[in-house]
Amino acid sequence: EAQVTQNPRYLITVTGKKLTVTCSQNMNHEYMSWYRQDPGLGLRQIYYSMNVEVTDKGDVPEGYKVSRKEKRNFPLILESPSPNQTSLYFCASSLSRGSAYEQYFGPGTRLTVT
Amino acid sequence: GENVGLHLPTLSVQEGDNSIINCAYSNSASDYFIWYKQESGKGPQFIIDIRSNMDKRQGQRVTVLLNKTVKHLSLQIAATQPGDSAVYFCAENTYKYIFGTGTRLKVLA
């Protein structure tokens, strides 16, 4: 089954404790992206990757890191989480970045930072 | 800056009636628009898309209308069913995706 998977689905952590949210897709997609979703703000892009070893900042990259060492995986790293990073995070992938390429979303990771 | 927004945060519709969800966009350079459905606890799910060289596209029970003159996008759901209850939001694409904030559709039995 073609899908995007994320782990963990739920995470409660404390300020400053490094964490990684994994994302994996099995569709051989080139383009992958991370979004955060906050009430009243919609989905905002954090980082995206056009292909292996190619990453770039989205609209809200501060406090986040990513890596793309393999085509299928695109982990999101919070080196020193803060309470304002409490949010619902989605990973997405598509065949390419250009228009008319449907994005497939993972099930989401709800992160709470206390 | 460019933005995509929705006029109504909540829409209640009687089961069997048609639903219309609206979206305004401001980037005239956007060439691709998508409607997503997001059910509680799940990621956004693609419903239907439309390119800027079209003004209407139909799917199964759904129709998307694009009015480039007034930069308006709408999603029509025919014969709304309880399973249609969800948050719906639009997105526009130029060199990146910009998402609207969403409209919650409630289907009344």
Side-chain angles (χ1 to χ4, degrees):
Chain A
E1 179 189 356
Q3 61 181 350
V4 178
T5 57
Q6 295 178 228
N7 281 293
R9 293 290 314 278
Y10 303 91
L11 179 60
I12 300 174
T13 189
V14 296
T15 299
K17 186 176 181 181
K18 181 180 178 180
L19 66 91
T20 299
V21 184
T22 65
C23 172
S24 183
Q25 50 91 7
N26 62 359
M27 296 169 278
N28 201 35
H29 284 169
E30 291 185 347
Y31 183 77
M32 297 186 74
S33 182
W34 275 103
Y35 297 92
R36 60 178 289 173
Q37 186 176 40
D38 302 290
L41 294 178
L43 284 164
R44 293 180 293 167
Q45 191 175 51
I46 303 171
Y47 268 95
Y48 64 92
S49 170
M50 300 279 284
N51 213 324
V52 176
E53 302 292 0
V54 181
T55 64
D56 210 344
K57 296 177 180 179
D59 297 317
V60 288
E62 294 77 22
Y64 305 94
K65 287 175 58 178
V66 292
S67 69
R68 188 89 182 274
K69 292 182 170 56
E70 303 167 282
K71 198 171 187 177
R72 64 184 296 127
N73 296 322
F74 190 45
L76 179 69
I77 304 156
L78 283 73
E79 294 272 5
S80 182
S82 62
N84 64 12
Q85 293 179 298
T86 293
S87 187
L88 180 58
Y89 291 86
F90 288 101
C91 181
S93 74
S94 63
L95 197 59
S96 182
R97 186 176 79 165
S99 61
Y101 288 111
E102 177 183 346
Q103 281 198 100
Y104 295 81
F105 285 84
T109 295
R110 185 166 293 281
L111 172 66
T112 302
V113 183
T114 61
Chain B
E2 307 296 352
N3 68 85
V4 174
L6 293 173
H7 298 304
L8 300 173
T10 303
L11 176 66
S12 295
V13 175
Q14 203 69 36
E15 181 179 354
D17 288 351
N18 296 335
S19 304
I20 300 176
I21 302 171
N22 297 303
C23 178
Y25 67 95
S26 57
N27 187 349
S28 57
S30 294
D31 60 0
Y32 179 56
F33 304 87
I34 314 102
W35 279 101
Y36 289 95
K37 174 184 181 182
Q38 187 174 19
E39 297 175 282
S40 181
K42 296 184 179 180
Q45 180 184 8
F46 173 94
I47 302 173
I48 191 168
D49 58 1
I50 189 168
R51 307 214 49 175
S52 59
N53 61 353
M54 303 170 68
D55 54 20
K56 180 179 180 179
R57 190 161 189 225
Q58 288 184 291
Q60 188 177 14
R61 280 202 308 119
V62 294
T63 300
V64 55
L65 299 177
L66 176 62
N67 185 332
K68 294 182 286 295
T69 302
V70 295
K71 297 190 184 70
H72 185 266
L73 194 66
S74 70
L75 176 70
Q76 300 179 2
I77 304 173
T80 311
Q81 302 170 0
D84 294 327
S85 293
V87 173
Y88 292 81
F89 56 89
C90 63
E92 61 178 311
N93 181 274
T94 51
Y95 62 93
K96 67 176 182 179
Y97 282 97
I98 300 174
F99 295 85
T101 54
T103 292
R104 182 173 300 280
L105 177 64
K106 292 184 177 179
V107 181
L108 307 173

